Amino acid sequence: MFCYQCQETAKGTGCTIKGVCGKPEDVAKLQDLLIYTLKGIAVYAVKARELHLERKDVDKFIMESLFSTITNANFDSSRFVERIQDGLKLREDLKQAVLEVGGSIPANLHDAVTWTAPAEEFEAKAAHVGVLATENEDVRSLRELLTYGLKGIAAYAEHAYTLEYKEPGIFAFIEKALASTLDDTLVVGDLVALVLEAGKYGVDVMALLDKANTTSYGNPELTKVNIGVRNNPAILISGHDLKDLEELLIQTQGSGVDVYTHGEMLPAHYYPAFKKYDNFVGNYGNAWHKQVTEFESFNGPIFLTTNCLVPPKDSYKDRVYTTGVVGFEGVKHIADRADGKPKDFAALIAHAKNCPAPTEIEKGEIIGGFAHNQVMALADKVVEAVKTGAIKRFFVMAGCDGRMKSRNYYAEFAQALPKDTVILTAGCAKYQYNKLDLGDIGGIPRVLDAGQCNDSYSLAVIALKLKEVFGLEDINQLPLSFNIAWYEQKAVIVLLALLHLGVKNIHLGPTLPGFLSPNVVNVLVENFGIAGISSVEEDIKLFMA
Ligand code: FSO
Ligand code: SF4
């Protein structure tokens, strides 16, 4: 196996024996083969679009398949075998559909478009189609950067799709980009252009998801979230899917079972629509990687709606439930919605009733809900504070958290920042500093949490609005610095989206991606001023200069 798609990749260069994330070799290979299969389907999907052939099933299959290969989403080999088989059928079906409307199939098709094999041969086939099959290291780097960006787009598109929001242009780009990773005539310059174009679709898909979330559940608002526990049995919900949460809250109402959020589900508390549920108690624990101890002490069932799942320990594995694209062998899976009916959480709720209440691990409150609408409501105050010099600089510290010790940098950085600075955050990166008492500036908290990683879009909207208010021509003239932490592929698309919006000099850590070749790093440094991180002291000096 060879996988280097996330920040924790072995030695910063690639997992080759087993994933640091726990992904076993067979799953890694099957994921490679699934991606390869998707590329083949995409070739026909592009053709179908040219012929005005609309295939929503193809769009959905590609979107969900890409999402299922994101870091910490699915570790179940049987799910990938099934997906590849379904993909091969779909590819043939699409080919026939193209022929039926008079389309022609070119000769010399890539192997990805024509291969087929029985399931027993999938792993052997996978050995020839993975990341390292592209020999030129710069082409490989750009193809992978593009593919990871597409995985991020697919994840956000899937959340929006669940709420009935979809944009054909986003699917068209995913398919065009996937197909172009098979095209050996594309040179480095073409691939760089595609990567930057992915950034545009990153902005589009985050805007779409923002619309889906806020139209469905209201605009996030300033909210204090309880981090203690009550004495009722409870379900812990994690991941990013708000529709799953909504249905769970409806079904647990009046059952005597409480619901708590974990990790990236914390921002659900900021939405007005979920405040009416009196059993929606608070947030339990911290970022995803802390689940190995926090799921243990939670005592009740845990429901994973999306990534990030860590291979569960035997001590709590029987309490873990997955749904959607998430999966792990031997873990119970809640089936998808069918016939317009909600998912059925009866088993989960019954399980909770037989469990003790969560063990308290902390007490108190955290504050959040500073998505664009809430910040705009405070705009006068914010602008005034900048004009009087009470706020000297904003720091966007969005992104992910992770296991590595080096992530302490972000907690230390937040603490060491001058008191006249404000942190804008989104994603699970915030857990490094959202429980520190960093104070406020004239009533404006020094850490403004917009929400999940996709709500980085909100931070961009806020920045663009500030640019307008201050009459500036360029977002980079604002007193605003970007010190972003990344882990998985959604952070990749957030980064590309920021580049598309013209943001320069983003610092990315705790390490630069292993999938960037030295030449691709140079392109990013020369054109966008991308940099890594060094020490807290030196970085603050640099940012404040
Ligand atoms: Fe974190 Fe995981 Fe949201 Fe990521 S929970 S690491 S960028 O999935 O998606 O922020
Ligand atoms: Fe390694 Fe990350 Fe890939 Fe897991 S997702 S195998 S940790 S590079």
Side-chain angles (χ1 to χ4, degrees), residues 1-10 14-16 18-23 28 31 69-72 75 403 487 489:
M1 68 174 278
F2 182 85
C3 181
Y4 62 176
Q5 68 175 350
C6 84
Q7 189 272 328
E8 293 186 0
T9 193
C15 297
T16 54
K18 185 187 174 158
V20 172
C21 62
K23 180 160 78 178
Q31 289 186 353
T69 67
I70 270 191
T71 301
N72 292 339
F75 299 84
R403 303 173 173 95
Y487 171 56
Q489 300 80 54

PDB file of all heavy atoms in Angstrom, residues 1-10 14-16 18-23 28 31 69-72 75 403 487 489, ligand 2:
ATOM      1  N   MET A   1       0.845  -1.206   0.000  1.00  0.00           N
ATOM      2  CA  MET A   1       0.000   0.000   0.000  1.00  0.00           C
ATOM      3  C   MET A   1       0.875   1.248   0.000  1.00  0.00           C
ATOM      4  O   MET A   1       2.028   1.219   0.417  1.00  0.00           O
ATOM      5  CB  MET A   1      -0.911   0.023   1.247  1.00  0.00           C
ATOM      6  CG  MET A   1      -0.178   0.216   2.583  1.00  0.00           C
ATOM      7  SD  MET A   1      -1.303   0.422   4.002  1.00  0.00           S
ATOM      8  CE  MET A   1      -1.749   2.156   3.912  1.00  0.00           C
ATOM      9  N   PHE A   2       0.323   2.286  -0.527  1.00  0.00           N
ATOM     10  CA  PHE A   2       0.982   3.583  -0.386  1.00  0.00           C
ATOM     11  C   PHE A   2      -0.105   4.643  -0.247  1.00  0.00           C
ATOM     12  O   PHE A   2      -0.949   4.808  -1.125  1.00  0.00           O
ATOM     13  CB  PHE A   2       1.869   3.919  -1.593  1.00  0.00           C
ATOM     14  CG  PHE A   2       2.574   5.227  -1.410  1.00  0.00           C
ATOM     15  CD1 PHE A   2       3.780   5.293  -0.704  1.00  0.00           C
ATOM     16  CD2 PHE A   2       2.018   6.416  -1.880  1.00  0.00           C
ATOM     17  CE1 PHE A   2       4.417   6.507  -0.488  1.00  0.00           C
ATOM     18  CE2 PHE A   2       2.655   7.629  -1.668  1.00  0.00           C
ATOM     19  CZ  PHE A   2       3.859   7.679  -0.982  1.00  0.00           C
ATOM     20  N   CYS A   3      -0.098   5.346   0.886  1.00  0.00           N
ATOM     21  CA  CYS A   3      -1.074   6.419   1.093  1.00  0.00           C
ATOM     22  C   CYS A   3      -0.381   7.585   1.778  1.00  0.00           C
ATOM     23  O   CYS A   3       0.327   7.389   2.773  1.00  0.00           O
ATOM     24  CB  CYS A   3      -2.251   5.905   1.938  1.00  0.00           C
ATOM     25  SG  CYS A   3      -3.528   7.160   2.228  1.00  0.00           S
ATOM     26  N   TYR A   4      -0.544   8.765   1.229  1.00  0.00           N
ATOM     27  CA  TYR A   4       0.042   9.954   1.884  1.00  0.00           C
ATOM     28  C   TYR A   4      -0.951  11.116   1.889  1.00  0.00           C
ATOM     29  O   TYR A   4      -0.581  12.260   1.807  1.00  0.00           O
ATOM     30  CB  TYR A   4       1.394  10.326   1.283  1.00  0.00           C
ATOM     31  CG  TYR A   4       1.476  10.726  -0.187  1.00  0.00           C
ATOM     32  CD1 TYR A   4       2.691  11.158  -0.720  1.00  0.00           C
ATOM     33  CD2 TYR A   4       0.381  10.698  -1.042  1.00  0.00           C
ATOM     34  CE1 TYR A   4       2.816  11.543  -2.047  1.00  0.00           C
ATOM     35  CE2 TYR A   4       0.491  11.075  -2.370  1.00  0.00           C
ATOM     36  CZ  TYR A   4       1.716  11.487  -2.862  1.00  0.00           C
ATOM     37  OH  TYR A   4       1.816  11.869  -4.184  1.00  0.00           O
ATOM     38  N   GLN A   5      -2.241  10.759   1.988  1.00  0.00           N
ATOM     39  CA  GLN A   5      -3.254  11.805   1.813  1.00  0.00           C
ATOM     40  C   GLN A   5      -3.484  12.678   3.052  1.00  0.00           C
ATOM     41  O   GLN A   5      -4.099  13.725   2.945  1.00  0.00           O
ATOM     42  CB  GLN A   5      -4.571  11.204   1.335  1.00  0.00           C
ATOM     43  CG  GLN A   5      -5.289  10.314   2.343  1.00  0.00           C
ATOM     44  CD  GLN A   5      -6.656   9.864   1.838  1.00  0.00           C
ATOM     45  OE1 GLN A   5      -7.146  10.351   0.821  1.00  0.00           O
ATOM     46  NE2 GLN A   5      -7.302   8.959   2.548  1.00  0.00           N
ATOM     47  N   CYS A   6      -3.015  12.253   4.217  1.00  0.00           N
ATOM     48  CA  CYS A   6      -3.282  13.090   5.398  1.00  0.00           C
ATOM     49  C   CYS A   6      -1.998  13.576   6.051  1.00  0.00           C
ATOM     50  O   CYS A   6      -0.900  13.131   5.714  1.00  0.00           O
ATOM     51  CB  CYS A   6      -4.167  12.340   6.396  1.00  0.00           C
ATOM     52  SG  CYS A   6      -3.251  11.239   7.481  1.00  0.00           S
ATOM     53  N   GLN A   7      -2.164  14.449   7.028  1.00  0.00           N
ATOM     54  CA  GLN A   7      -1.004  15.080   7.665  1.00  0.00           C
ATOM     55  C   GLN A   7      -0.211  14.101   8.520  1.00  0.00           C
ATOM     56  O   GLN A   7       0.974  14.308   8.760  1.00  0.00           O
ATOM     57  CB  GLN A   7      -1.481  16.278   8.497  1.00  0.00           C
ATOM     58  CG  GLN A   7      -0.379  17.170   9.043  1.00  0.00           C
ATOM     59  CD  GLN A   7       0.146  16.696  10.394  1.00  0.00           C
ATOM     60  OE1 GLN A   7      -0.598  16.124  11.181  1.00  0.00           O
ATOM     61  NE2 GLN A   7       1.437  16.920  10.651  1.00  0.00           N
ATOM     62  N   GLU A   8      -0.873  13.040   8.998  1.00  0.00           N
ATOM     63  CA  GLU A   8      -0.173  12.135   9.909  1.00  0.00           C
ATOM     64  C   GLU A   8       0.505  10.974   9.193  1.00  0.00           C
ATOM     65  O   GLU A   8       0.916   9.997   9.825  1.00  0.00           O
ATOM     66  CB  GLU A   8      -1.147  11.642  10.997  1.00  0.00           C
ATOM     67  CG  GLU A   8      -1.560  12.785  11.906  1.00  0.00           C
ATOM     68  CD  GLU A   8      -2.414  12.385  13.103  1.00  0.00           C
ATOM     69  OE1 GLU A   8      -2.709  11.198  13.259  1.00  0.00           O
ATOM     70  OE2 GLU A   8      -2.781  13.283  13.868  1.00  0.00           O
ATOM     71  N   THR A   9       0.621  11.076   7.885  1.00  0.00           N
ATOM     72  CA  THR A   9       1.230  10.005   7.103  1.00  0.00           C
ATOM     73  C   THR A   9       2.608   9.624   7.673  1.00  0.00           C
ATOM     74  O   THR A   9       3.336  10.497   8.164  1.00  0.00           O
ATOM     75  CB  THR A   9       1.312  10.423   5.616  1.00  0.00           C
ATOM     76  OG1 THR A   9       1.620   9.280   4.842  1.00  0.00           O
ATOM     77  CG2 THR A   9       2.360  11.495   5.372  1.00  0.00           C
ATOM     78  N   ALA A  10       2.948   8.347   7.616  1.00  0.00           N
ATOM     79  CA  ALA A  10       4.184   7.869   8.249  1.00  0.00           C
ATOM     80  C   ALA A  10       5.410   8.648   7.768  1.00  0.00           C
ATOM     81  O   ALA A  10       5.607   8.830   6.566  1.00  0.00           O
ATOM     82  CB  ALA A  10       4.357   6.378   7.974  1.00  0.00           C
ATOM     83  N   GLY A  14       4.671   8.829   3.655  1.00  0.00           N
ATOM     84  CA  GLY A  14       3.702   7.868   3.132  1.00  0.00           C
ATOM     85  C   GLY A  14       3.581   6.645   4.034  1.00  0.00           C
ATOM     86  O   GLY A  14       4.581   6.154   4.556  1.00  0.00           O
ATOM     87  N   CYS A  15       2.361   6.162   4.187  1.00  0.00           N
ATOM     88  CA  CYS A  15       2.133   4.928   4.940  1.00  0.00           C
ATOM     89  C   CYS A  15       2.293   3.779   3.958  1.00  0.00           C
ATOM     90  O   CYS A  15       1.651   3.762   2.904  1.00  0.00           O
ATOM     91  CB  CYS A  15       0.730   4.918   5.542  1.00  0.00           C
ATOM     92  SG  CYS A  15       0.462   6.233   6.751  1.00  0.00           S
ATOM     93  N   THR A  16       3.116   2.797   4.295  1.00  0.00           N
ATOM     94  CA  THR A  16       3.409   1.719   3.349  1.00  0.00           C
ATOM     95  C   THR A  16       3.086   0.330   3.886  1.00  0.00           C
ATOM     96  O   THR A  16       3.013  -0.623   3.115  1.00  0.00           O
ATOM     97  CB  THR A  16       4.905   1.751   2.945  1.00  0.00           C
ATOM     98  OG1 THR A  16       5.676   1.714   4.143  1.00  0.00           O
ATOM     99  CG2 THR A  16       5.247   2.998   2.153  1.00  0.00           C
ATOM    100  N   LYS A  18       0.909  -0.123   7.056  1.00  0.00           N
ATOM    101  CA  LYS A  18      -0.430   0.047   7.609  1.00  0.00           C
ATOM    102  C   LYS A  18      -0.567   1.536   7.871  1.00  0.00           C
ATOM    103  O   LYS A  18       0.446   2.201   8.142  1.00  0.00           O
ATOM    104  CB  LYS A  18      -0.522  -0.752   8.916  1.00  0.00           C
ATOM    105  CG  LYS A  18      -1.908  -0.751   9.508  1.00  0.00           C
ATOM    106  CD  LYS A  18      -1.968  -1.382  10.872  1.00  0.00           C
ATOM    107  CE  LYS A  18      -3.379  -1.139  11.341  1.00  0.00           C
ATOM    108  NZ  LYS A  18      -3.953  -1.894  12.287  1.00  0.00           N
ATOM    109  N   GLY A  19      -1.763   2.065   7.781  1.00  0.00           N
ATOM    110  CA  GLY A  19      -1.918   3.492   8.019  1.00  0.00           C
ATOM    111  C   GLY A  19      -1.677   3.863   9.474  1.00  0.00           C
ATOM    112  O   GLY A  19      -2.031   3.095  10.365  1.00  0.00           O
ATOM    113  N   VAL A  20      -1.087   5.015   9.700  1.00  0.00           N
ATOM    114  CA  VAL A  20      -0.988   5.563  11.054  1.00  0.00           C
ATOM    115  C   VAL A  20      -2.417   5.712  11.611  1.00  0.00           C
ATOM    116  O   VAL A  20      -2.658   5.576  12.799  1.00  0.00           O
ATOM    117  CB  VAL A  20      -0.258   6.933  11.026  1.00  0.00           C
ATOM    118  CG1 VAL A  20      -0.310   7.624  12.375  1.00  0.00           C
ATOM    119  CG2 VAL A  20       1.184   6.754  10.567  1.00  0.00           C
ATOM    120  N   CYS A  21      -3.367   5.938  10.709  1.00  0.00           N
ATOM    121  CA  CYS A  21      -4.772   6.085  11.086  1.00  0.00           C
ATOM    122  C   CYS A  21      -5.408   4.741  11.429  1.00  0.00           C
ATOM    123  O   CYS A  21      -6.538   4.691  11.890  1.00  0.00           O
ATOM    124  CB  CYS A  21      -5.551   6.726   9.944  1.00  0.00           C
ATOM    125  SG  CYS A  21      -5.532   5.721   8.439  1.00  0.00           S
ATOM    126  N   GLY A  22      -4.685   3.644  11.146  1.00  0.00           N
ATOM    127  CA  GLY A  22      -5.245   2.319  11.402  1.00  0.00           C
ATOM    128  C   GLY A  22      -5.787   1.652  10.140  1.00  0.00           C
ATOM    129  O   GLY A  22      -6.270   0.517  10.183  1.00  0.00           O
ATOM    130  N   LYS A  23      -5.695   2.349   9.017  1.00  0.00           N
ATOM    131  CA  LYS A  23      -6.209   1.759   7.769  1.00  0.00           C
ATOM    132  C   LYS A  23      -5.342   0.566   7.370  1.00  0.00           C
ATOM    133  O   LYS A  23      -4.142   0.717   7.160  1.00  0.00           O
ATOM    134  CB  LYS A  23      -6.206   2.831   6.664  1.00  0.00           C
ATOM    135  CG  LYS A  23      -6.699   2.353   5.325  1.00  0.00           C
ATOM    136  CD  LYS A  23      -7.124   3.518   4.431  1.00  0.00           C
ATOM    137  CE  LYS A  23      -5.972   4.252   3.783  1.00  0.00           C
ATOM    138  NZ  LYS A  23      -6.425   5.341   2.900  1.00  0.00           N
ATOM    139  N   ALA A  28      -6.627   0.060   2.075  1.00  0.00           N
ATOM    140  CA  ALA A  28      -5.905   1.095   1.325  1.00  0.00           C
ATOM    141  C   ALA A  28      -5.909   0.758  -0.166  1.00  0.00           C
ATOM    142  O   ALA A  28      -6.161   1.621  -1.021  1.00  0.00           O
ATOM    143  CB  ALA A  28      -4.474   1.213   1.843  1.00  0.00           C
ATOM    144  N   GLN A  31      -9.343   1.144  -1.690  1.00  0.00           N
ATOM    145  CA  GLN A  31      -9.660   2.576  -1.888  1.00  0.00           C
ATOM    146  C   GLN A  31      -8.979   3.099  -3.156  1.00  0.00           C
ATOM    147  O   GLN A  31      -9.580   3.857  -3.925  1.00  0.00           O
ATOM    148  CB  GLN A  31      -9.227   3.395  -0.664  1.00  0.00           C
ATOM    149  CG  GLN A  31     -10.109   3.147   0.554  1.00  0.00           C
ATOM    150  CD  GLN A  31      -9.788   4.059   1.733  1.00  0.00           C
ATOM    151  OE1 GLN A  31      -8.807   4.810   1.705  1.00  0.00           O
ATOM    152  NE2 GLN A  31     -10.599   3.990   2.765  1.00  0.00           N
ATOM    153  N   THR A  69     -13.634   7.537   0.904  1.00  0.00           N
ATOM    154  CA  THR A  69     -12.188   7.288   0.977  1.00  0.00           C
ATOM    155  C   THR A  69     -11.439   8.352   1.777  1.00  0.00           C
ATOM    156  O   THR A  69     -10.208   8.317   1.870  1.00  0.00           O
ATOM    157  CB  THR A  69     -11.551   7.214  -0.431  1.00  0.00           C
ATOM    158  OG1 THR A  69     -11.624   8.522  -1.030  1.00  0.00           O
ATOM    159  CG2 THR A  69     -12.258   6.224  -1.329  1.00  0.00           C
ATOM    160  N   ILE A  70     -12.175   9.301   2.331  1.00  0.00           N
ATOM    161  CA  ILE A  70     -11.541  10.328   3.174  1.00  0.00           C
ATOM    162  C   ILE A  70     -10.935   9.666   4.414  1.00  0.00           C
ATOM    163  O   ILE A  70     -11.438   8.654   4.895  1.00  0.00           O
ATOM    164  CB  ILE A  70     -12.607  11.402   3.532  1.00  0.00           C
ATOM    165  CG1 ILE A  70     -12.585  12.498   2.470  1.00  0.00           C
ATOM    166  CG2 ILE A  70     -12.443  11.964   4.911  1.00  0.00           C
ATOM    167  CD1 ILE A  70     -13.378  13.722   2.829  1.00  0.00           C
ATOM    168  N   THR A  71      -9.873  10.234   4.901  1.00  0.00           N
ATOM    169  CA  THR A  71      -9.225   9.710   6.108  1.00  0.00           C
ATOM    170  C   THR A  71     -10.226   9.500   7.246  1.00  0.00           C
ATOM    171  O   THR A  71     -11.039  10.396   7.525  1.00  0.00           O
ATOM    172  CB  THR A  71      -8.124  10.686   6.572  1.00  0.00           C
ATOM    173  OG1 THR A  71      -7.183  10.820   5.518  1.00  0.00           O
ATOM    174  CG2 THR A  71      -7.415  10.166   7.824  1.00  0.00           C
ATOM    175  N   ASN A  72     -10.159   8.348   7.878  1.00  0.00           N
ATOM    176  CA  ASN A  72     -10.982   8.039   9.061  1.00  0.00           C
ATOM    177  C   ASN A  72     -12.494   7.977   8.790  1.00  0.00           C
ATOM    178  O   ASN A  72     -13.291   8.231   9.696  1.00  0.00           O
ATOM    179  CB  ASN A  72     -10.745   9.054  10.190  1.00  0.00           C
ATOM    180  CG  ASN A  72      -9.362   8.939  10.779  1.00  0.00           C
ATOM    181  OD1 ASN A  72      -8.718   7.913  10.646  1.00  0.00           O
ATOM    182  ND2 ASN A  72      -8.906   9.989  11.443  1.00  0.00           N
ATOM    183  N   PHE A  75     -13.297   1.936   7.194  1.00  0.00           N
ATOM    184  CA  PHE A  75     -12.211   0.950   7.313  1.00  0.00           C
ATOM    185  C   PHE A  75     -12.698  -0.450   6.921  1.00  0.00           C
ATOM    186  O   PHE A  75     -12.045  -1.435   7.229  1.00  0.00           O
ATOM    187  CB  PHE A  75     -11.717   0.895   8.763  1.00  0.00           C
ATOM    188  CG  PHE A  75     -11.151   2.187   9.281  1.00  0.00           C
ATOM    189  CD1 PHE A  75     -11.964   3.187   9.796  1.00  0.00           C
ATOM    190  CD2 PHE A  75      -9.769   2.401   9.281  1.00  0.00           C
ATOM    191  CE1 PHE A  75     -11.430   4.367  10.294  1.00  0.00           C
ATOM    192  CE2 PHE A  75      -9.225   3.572   9.783  1.00  0.00           C
ATOM    193  CZ  PHE A  75     -10.061   4.564  10.289  1.00  0.00           C
ATOM    194  N   ARG A 403      -3.395  14.007  16.359  1.00  0.00           N
ATOM    195  CA  ARG A 403      -2.776  13.341  17.507  1.00  0.00           C
ATOM    196  C   ARG A 403      -1.407  13.873  17.862  1.00  0.00           C
ATOM    197  O   ARG A 403      -0.950  13.732  18.979  1.00  0.00           O
ATOM    198  CB  ARG A 403      -2.548  11.854  17.176  1.00  0.00           C
ATOM    199  CG  ARG A 403      -3.733  11.061  16.770  1.00  0.00           C
ATOM    200  CD  ARG A 403      -3.223   9.700  16.329  1.00  0.00           C
ATOM    201  NE  ARG A 403      -4.296   8.768  16.071  1.00  0.00           N
ATOM    202  CZ  ARG A 403      -4.813   8.557  14.866  1.00  0.00           C
ATOM    203  NH1 ARG A 403      -4.354   9.195  13.805  1.00  0.00           N
ATOM    204  NH2 ARG A 403      -5.794   7.695  14.713  1.00  0.00           N
ATOM    205  N   TYR A 487      -5.333  18.430   8.559  1.00  0.00           N
ATOM    206  CA  TYR A 487      -5.180  16.997   8.829  1.00  0.00           C
ATOM    207  C   TYR A 487      -5.636  16.189   7.617  1.00  0.00           C
ATOM    208  O   TYR A 487      -4.865  15.465   7.020  1.00  0.00           O
ATOM    209  CB  TYR A 487      -5.946  16.577  10.096  1.00  0.00           C
ATOM    210  CG  TYR A 487      -6.005  15.076  10.298  1.00  0.00           C
ATOM    211  CD1 TYR A 487      -4.840  14.322  10.352  1.00  0.00           C
ATOM    212  CD2 TYR A 487      -7.227  14.407  10.414  1.00  0.00           C
ATOM    213  CE1 TYR A 487      -4.881  12.936  10.508  1.00  0.00           C
ATOM    214  CE2 TYR A 487      -7.276  13.026  10.579  1.00  0.00           C
ATOM    215  CZ  TYR A 487      -6.103  12.292  10.614  1.00  0.00           C
ATOM    216  OH  TYR A 487      -6.155  10.930  10.758  1.00  0.00           O
ATOM    217  N   GLN A 489      -8.556  15.647   4.020  1.00  0.00           N
ATOM    218  CA  GLN A 489      -8.707  16.203   2.685  1.00  0.00           C
ATOM    219  C   GLN A 489      -9.712  17.346   2.597  1.00  0.00           C
ATOM    220  O   GLN A 489      -9.716  18.116   1.636  1.00  0.00           O
ATOM    221  CB  GLN A 489      -9.049  15.079   1.698  1.00  0.00           C
ATOM    222  CG  GLN A 489      -7.951  14.009   1.649  1.00  0.00           C
ATOM    223  CD  GLN A 489      -8.030  13.032   2.812  1.00  0.00           C
ATOM    224  OE1 GLN A 489      -9.065  12.441   3.042  1.00  0.00           O
ATOM    225  NE2 GLN A 489      -6.949  12.854   3.564  1.00  0.00           N
TER     226      GLN A 489
HETATM  227 FE1  SF4 B   2      -1.574   7.073   6.344  1.00  0.00          FE
HETATM  228 FE2  SF4 B   2      -3.171   9.208   6.507  1.00  0.00          FE
HETATM  229 FE3  SF4 B   2      -3.400   7.490   4.487  1.00  0.00          FE
HETATM  230 FE4  SF4 B   2      -4.168   6.817   6.965  1.00  0.00          FE
HETATM  231  S1  SF4 B   2      -5.064   8.408   5.618  1.00  0.00           S
HETATM  232  S2  SF4 B   2      -2.999   5.544   5.547  1.00  0.00           S
HETATM  233  S3  SF4 B   2      -2.560   7.865   8.189  1.00  0.00           S
HETATM  234  S4  SF4 B   2      -1.660   8.817   4.923  1.00  0.00           S
END
